[in-house]
Amino acid sequence: MSKLLLKGGRVIDPVQGIDKTADVIIDGGLIESVDSDLDINGANVLDVSGCIVAPGFIDMHVHLREPGQEYKETIQTGTAAAAAGGFTGVACMPNTSPVNDHRAVTELIIERADEAGSVPVYPIGCVSVGQEGEALAEIGQLVEGGCVAVSDDGVAVATAELMRRALEYTRMFDIPVIEHCEDLSLTQNQKAPMNEGSVSTALGFKGHPAAAEDIIVARDLVLAELTGGSLHCAHISSAGALRMIRDAKGRGVNVTCEVTPHHFILTDEEVRTFDTNTKMNPPLRSKADVDAVIEALVDGTIDAIVTDHAPHHADEKALEFDLAPFGIVGLETAVPLACDRLLHRGHVTLQRLVELFSTNPARILRLGAGTLSEGTVANVTVLDLDRMATVDVSAFSSKSYNTPFDGWELKGWPVFTIVAGKVVWKATE
Amino acid sequence: MPETKDVETNMPGEAADLILPTHQQAASLKSKDLLSIEHLDASEINLILDTAHHFKEISERPIKKVPTLRGKSIINLFFEPSTRTRMSFEIAAKRLSADIQSISASTSSLVKGETFIDTARNIEAMYPDLLVVRHAFPGAAHMLAEICSAGVINAGDGAHEHPTQALLDALTIRDHKGNIENLRVVIFGDIAHSRVARSNIHCLLKLGANVVVAAPPTFMPCNIEELGVEAFDRLEPALEGADVIVALRIQLERGGKLSFPSLREYFNLFGLGRDRLALAKNDAIVMHPGPINRGVEISSEVADGPQSVILDQVSNGLAVRMAVLYLLAGIGPAKNVKTAA
């Protein structure tokens, strides 16, 4: 394999404290060096002047739907969407069919990703057998098969005792337990289709109160403190949950958390259209919650931005709001949304943006990635912060196009996605 | 509008001449649909009420039929059980000579797994002029209106809105009180599950009433004050000085087992009996959208008493539905045809 030279970009690597205009030379799929004015004879040169060169972005929360729901998405189309969104790796949730509660499913996912994937896939195994919340899955086997975390995502780990055991048991493997924070008794077993607040009152929908999220966050923070286990709270959307996580971090509790772009951009006012692409779980919350999420992105309470990429077939979303499934796709919109709404509006620095998309997800999942350090696998995301483009679902690589962001004009897009030294996606002119 | 020929011709214009000079009345409805009260303005509401006022007379004739909507096709799509509203729309349509067909969920293909949208598209393909829809979920009528070129009338979508109920309530209040402005209207009971409450709140506020709601906190949706009402968690203070009292049915079928301990306790705390009624003004009227649960939200003495106008509401429902059908299907400019998404 010949060398690849990324020439003239602004290199950002929070791990090494780098923020400078420099060249990056990649050899044999690994980062060889980052330095000024490198000129390597015979290398393929990619002119990235005017662009940002960052360690590869990792989306640590996606649903690839394979095995079992290939009509919504496959590992092939999902990872193609990831590459097209600037991601060099994705961690996929286990609520497939069958669920990933068995090493054979983990291995199938990894095999399929090796065969057909544009980017590496890091499987997340189930906490409990069948995600039924009763007995621990064979987490040791799942880890040996390649799982990087466990979660019962879709629902919360059913009981405090099971969560306690999961947090204890996973300490052996040094992997996080990723929690979907929702007390089902407060959301009418997910029959409440939207946030509880003024809008649900006006529209007559059953409400999913932020308290449903906060209660599980509170429970799990107590258990993380009790056990010393590694807790990662998925898709946090409420001000109360963030307040508790901030406090717990301050006391040294082993907790991290993530947020999706829709939870730092949209409020439950969007539901007034009855558009089922505004239905997700956790639901779009109030303006005060969105403000709290942005504050937590700024102050470091939130560690990662994820998509919760949840492809659904158009027919499934074309139902009554109460009956439509939860979730939206996000892989091909997350990075431009974050650039436009967080970076360009001055909420976060470029350094912080890279931490949220790369450094921290890699650290939380212990991937040994998220940096451009010499000798690491050359996964690189190149951004053009000045690029203006319009979200166009008809151009998506994903099989599904359930998003409320279609038609949004955004500034700041990925232009190259590089995995192990190979350009797996580049923007069209 | 006593003459049949007038009903057939330019009725809205003539109706305007007969109405109180102060209130604003629109020349026509702005939308092809009646989906909510929230999106109507006061002049549109007045247009419907004034039109309804003149239609009442038709039902008092020996021959209760005018040819106004002859040749118009109306379909009642009832995806949730209903007797009164469905029948009211049927009779209203027939008195205007429209053809009306009612389809209920149990006789539709929904039970065979067809989606709501597919059902709607199939019905649309038979060229109806108006669809009247009742559905268990909020937004269903909006969905239908987006995909159908026919006008859509929301006959109740979950706990969201029930516009014709609010209109018939407003007409009843106007009949008895002359004017709605500055009246104290109390709506009490299961506010959380009530589409009637939401439509009534919007309608009465737009017409200038002071609206008060009262419910146990477990039946009160959050931030209800943001709709512009005053909220109480006991009935007594709400009733003081009331001109109009609207009792709501406890909707046991919509769940809420944890919302109150027993029907007996509910009646003890929130039932409208004679003693509580005495807290309101002497000439206060008592309303209920029906069906009533005697001895739960209202005592029989009050429901059947001199202040009750519950049966007037039912009669006015007919007139209001005739007016709405007339205004949406009768005449007017070409429909704003939307293509399927």
Side-chain angles (χ1 to χ4, degrees):
Chain A
M1 189 190 256
S2 63
K3 295 187 176 189
L4 177 66
L5 178 66
L6 307 179
K7 187 99 187 127
R10 177 176 165 196
V11 178
I12 310 270
D13 182 2
V15 170
Q16 302 184 83
I18 295 177
D19 178 356
K20 63 179 181 189
T21 300
D23 301 337
V24 177
I25 185 79
I26 296 167
D27 186 16
L30 304 178
I31 302 286
E32 189 178 282
S33 67
V34 177
D35 215 333
S36 301
D37 295 319
L38 290 173
D39 191 8
I40 308 293
N41 278 335
N44 290 323
V45 178
L46 210 55
D47 179 8
V48 292
S49 52
C51 292
I52 304 302
V53 177
F57 287 5
I58 295 154
D59 184 350
M60 61 178 293
H61 191 143
V62 304
H63 299 269
L64 295 179
R65 306 302 189 203
E66 186 177 354
Q69 293 182 306
E70 289 83 355
Y71 69 97
K72 297 182 193 226
E73 193 80 285
T74 63
I75 287 168
Q76 182 185 357
T77 59
T79 57
F87 292 101
T88 62
V90 293
C92 62
M93 283 296 173
N95 57 342
T96 45
S97 177
V99 297
N100 185 9
D101 65 348
H102 196 283
R103 179 178 179 156
V105 179
T106 308
E107 288 174 349
L108 173 91
I109 291 167
I110 290 173
E111 256 171 54
R112 290 287 298 129
D114 286 346
E115 263 166 45
S118 302
V119 304
V121 173
Y122 310 108
I124 297 166
C126 294
V127 169
S128 65
V129 176
Q131 287 201 319
E132 284 166 359
E134 285 175 9
L136 283 180
E138 289 176 332
I139 294 172
Q141 287 288 298
L142 291 170
V143 171
E144 278 185 34
C147 282
V148 296
V150 288
S151 179
D152 274 353
D153 185 51
V155 291
V157 174
T159 64
E161 190 193 7
L162 184 65
M163 188 59 180
R164 173 193 178 156
R165 298 307 174 202
L167 285 164
E168 288 172 341
Y169 195 73
T170 49
R171 279 168 42 200
M172 284 194 286
F173 314 108
D174 189 30
I175 59 167
V177 179
I178 303 177
E179 180 69 303
H180 167 117
C181 302
E182 178 187 3
D183 181 319
L184 289 174
S185 73
L186 283 172
T187 64
Q188 309 199 27
N189 272 315
Q190 305 194 335
K191 289 208 173 64
M194 72 170 295
N195 182 47
E196 181 175 299
S198 305
V199 182
S200 67
T201 291
L203 299 180
F205 281 120
K206 296 183 191 91
H208 168 152
E213 179 172 324
D214 301 352
I215 282 171
I216 297 300
V217 168
R219 178 194 81 174
D220 290 356
L221 288 173
V222 169
L223 294 172
E225 195 161 4
L226 174 70
T227 61
S230 172
L231 170 67
H232 178 76
C233 297
H235 43 51
I236 289 299
S237 66
S238 97
L242 290 166
R243 207 160 46 230
M244 289 186 282
I245 292 168
R246 182 179 292 122
D247 171 71
K249 283 185 159 189
R251 288 183 295 104
V253 178
N254 189 0
V255 59
T256 52
C257 72
E258 63 182 38
V259 70
T260 69
H262 44 279
H263 288 119
F264 64 70
I265 296 172
L266 304 176
T267 69
D268 56 0
E269 288 290 332
E270 302 290 328
V271 181
R272 288 187 190 274
T273 60
F274 297 108
D275 177 356
T276 55
N277 287 330
T278 65
K279 178 177 175 180
M280 58 284 280
N281 189 6
L284 298 176
R285 302 269 188 210
S286 70
K287 174 73 166 53
D289 291 306
V290 170
D291 291 345
V293 166
I294 289 175
E295 186 192 345
L297 279 162
V298 172
D299 74 11
T301 302
I302 291 170
D303 298 277
I305 296 174
V306 301
T307 63
D308 194 7
H309 181 79
H312 291 294
H313 195 277
D315 288 347
E316 296 171 303
K317 278 291 195 180
L319 293 175
E320 296 90 322
F321 198 88
D322 275 279
L323 301 180
F326 293 105
I328 61 171
V329 292
L331 282 167
E332 292 167 84
T333 51
V335 172
L337 286 168
C339 287
D340 190 286
R341 295 307 176 109
L342 295 179
L343 184 70
H344 288 312
R345 293 196 178 186
H347 293 306
V348 300
T349 61
L350 194 50
Q351 177 97 2
R352 177 87 182 111
L353 189 81
V354 173
E355 289 171 6
L356 289 161
F357 273 119
S358 180
T359 321
N360 294 344
R363 173 174 54 80
I364 293 164
L365 298 177
R366 289 78 161 159
L367 299 179
T371 175
L372 299 172
S373 306
E374 223 177 281
T376 57
V377 175
N379 292 346
V380 184
T381 297
V382 180
L383 306 173
D384 178 351
L385 297 180
D386 295 323
R387 185 183 174 89
M388 294 288 300
T390 301
V391 176
D392 175 10
V393 295
S394 69
F396 274 6
S397 299
S398 172
K399 253 190 187 182
S400 295
Y401 42 88
N402 48 305
T403 172
F405 297 113
D406 188 31
W408 282 43
E409 192 181 33
L410 300 170
K411 184 177 176 186
W413 290 74
V415 286
F416 293 104
T417 305
I418 297 168
V419 172
K422 194 176 145 211
V423 177
V424 295
W425 175 83
K426 61 178 179 181
T428 49
E429 279 314 307
Chain B
M1 199 57 41
E3 302 300 323
T4 298
K5 63 180 170 61
D6 292 330
V7 173
E8 279 183 274
T9 55
N10 58 345
M11 186 180 147
E14 295 210 8
D17 301 336
L18 303 170
I19 299 309
L20 305 171
T22 53
H23 85 215
Q24 279 199 315
Q25 189 208 64
S28 64
L29 298 179
K30 289 174 192 138
S31 166
K32 75 177 176 73
D33 312 301
L34 176 60
L35 303 180
S36 64
I37 298 290
E38 188 183 1
H39 297 102
L40 293 181
D41 60 34
S43 70
E44 291 177 290
I45 294 169
N46 283 326
L47 169 65
I48 297 170
L49 299 184
D50 295 345
T51 307
H53 178 75
H54 295 291
F55 272 131
K56 281 193 203 183
E57 177 271 336
I58 294 168
S59 295
E60 290 158 10
R61 295 179 192 179
I63 306 297
K64 302 176 174 58
K65 200 171 184 96
V66 293
T68 314
L69 295 186
R70 193 167 48 202
K72 295 290 178 185
S73 172
I74 300 169
I75 296 179
N76 257 344
L77 278 166
F78 276 65
F79 296 109
E80 198 185 51
S82 159
T83 307
R84 169 184 339 245
T85 304
R86 196 195 66 207
M87 194 160 65
S88 182
F89 272 107
E90 284 175 2
I91 295 173
K94 287 174 180 172
R95 292 206 173 148
L96 295 174
S97 300
D99 296 316
I100 184 160
Q101 179 71 43
S102 289
I103 297 165
S104 60
S106 56
T107 60
S108 82
S109 53
L110 285 187
V111 289
K112 299 175 195 158
E114 187 177 60
T115 66
F116 178 59
I117 282 185
D118 282 333
T119 301
R121 285 186 179 142
N122 276 274
I123 290 167
E124 172 85 348
M126 297 180 217
Y127 304 107
D129 295 289
L130 282 177
L131 301 172
V132 179
V133 63
R134 160 71 59 93
H135 199 291
F137 298 129
H142 293 70
M143 249 179 112
L144 200 59
E146 277 199 12
I147 60 166
C148 290
S149 57
V152 173
I153 298 168
N154 181 5
D157 59 331
H160 179 217
E161 284 233 30
H162 190 356
T164 57
Q165 178 71 44
L167 292 163
L168 73 88
D169 286 346
L171 184 62
T172 307
I173 296 170
R174 212 173 74 171
D175 285 351
H176 287 271
K177 298 289 174 189
N179 196 348
I180 289 174
E181 222 171 318
N182 297 323
L183 293 179
R184 180 177 173 92
V185 182
V186 178
I187 303 171
F188 77 95
D190 187 357
I191 307 286
H193 295 111
S194 179
R195 51 190 168 220
V196 175
R198 285 170 179 77
S199 285
N200 263 324
I201 288 168
H202 288 302
C203 188
L204 295 166
L205 289 174
K206 282 170 199 274
L207 296 177
N210 300 312
V211 181
V212 172
V213 294
T218 47
F219 277 148
M220 191 74 92
C222 68
N223 305 343
I224 188 84
E225 297 86 352
E226 288 182 18
L227 296 179
V229 300
E230 194 182 353
F232 290 92
D233 59 12
R234 298 300 294 256
L235 185 53
E236 293 79 2
L239 288 176
E240 276 179 37
D243 297 289
V244 178
I245 305 163
V246 180
L248 297 175
R249 193 166 64 87
I250 296 302
Q251 305 203 42
L252 294 170
E253 74 276 15
R254 293 192 196 274
K257 256 181 280 178
L258 291 176
S259 293
F260 67 101
S262 68
L263 294 176
R264 181 173 64 183
E265 174 141 319
Y266 184 79
F267 184 73
N268 284 341
L269 291 169
F270 269 85
L272 185 65
R274 269 190 194 151
D275 47 346
R276 289 203 175 101
L277 180 56
L279 297 170
K281 286 189 183 160
N282 290 333
D283 62 350
I285 56 171
V286 174
M287 302 170 61
H288 193 300
I292 62 174
N293 298 318
R294 289 172 184 269
V296 179
E297 65 265 0
I298 191 166
S299 74
S300 287
E301 291 159 314
V302 171
D304 304 329
Q307 286 166 270
S308 168
V309 298
I310 293 171
L311 295 176
D312 293 354
Q313 289 174 268
V314 178
S315 305
N316 279 340
L318 199 54
V320 157
R321 287 169 185 128
M322 287 167 79
V324 168
L325 294 176
Y326 168 78
L327 291 168
L328 292 177
I331 41 175
K335 303 262 168 65
N336 171 25
V337 178
K338 290 184 185 173
T339 49

